[in-house]
Amino acid sequence: MLAPTVAAAAENRCGWIENPTPRNWWLEDRDNTWTIMTQVSEEGPEGMDLIPDISERDYVKTNGNYGYACACLKVETDGKETITKILSFKQLKLAQCRNDKSLKFKG
């Protein structure tokens, strides 16, 4: 008998999207800091190409061409700390994350 497969449920995650150095990406939301990709990863999750150049919109530069922004992503996770698939990405105004009391304030 085959075990039933469990489909990963899409989650809406909103918070600080961080790209501090090449190939390092995290999303810090009210629940967790989610790893999207690190330099040691061979490649990012499926859907990584949905994240545009965040520096073209409301964005804070912290290290050369790298920094952070505010965004909402529809994702699948491992339920612990890793985003395993990106289904959609929407960059928001920095003020939206700064005004969200459930998020740590980014200067």
Side-chain angles (χ1 to χ4, degrees):
M1 175 181 253
L2 294 175
T5 58
V6 178
E11 306 171 32
N12 287 313
R13 297 271 170 198
C14 298
W16 297 111
I17 182 93
E18 303 174 47
N19 177 220
T21 55
R23 295 182 51 82
N24 285 315
W25 288 89
W26 291 273
L27 177 68
E28 189 174 331
D29 71 6
R30 70 185 73 220
D31 297 323
N32 205 354
T33 298
W34 300 94
T35 300
I36 300 172
M37 185 167 99
T38 65
Q39 286 181 341
V40 296
S41 306
E42 298 247 341
E43 58 187 62
E46 182 181 338
M48 188 69 195
D49 59 325
L50 297 174
I51 300 177
D53 180 353
I54 61 173
S55 69
E56 292 180 355
R57 293 180 180 82
D58 207 9
Y59 156 86
V60 175
K61 182 162 62 166
T62 58
N63 178 26
N65 293 327
Y66 301 95
Y68 64 89
C70 183
C72 283
L73 290 79
K74 183 177 270 188
V75 298
E76 293 176 4
T77 72
D78 65 0
K80 298 174 189 164
E81 62 185 28
T82 303
I83 290 175
T84 58
K85 185 175 187 179
I86 299 169
L87 303 167
S88 68
F89 177 92
K90 181 176 182 182
Q91 192 164 335
L92 308 170
K93 295 280 187 191
L94 291 169
Q96 190 157 341
C97 284
R98 287 184 176 142
N99 292 333
D100 186 336
K101 304 268 188 252
S102 69
L103 298 175
K104 288 187 217 170
F105 180 75
K106 293 273 187 210

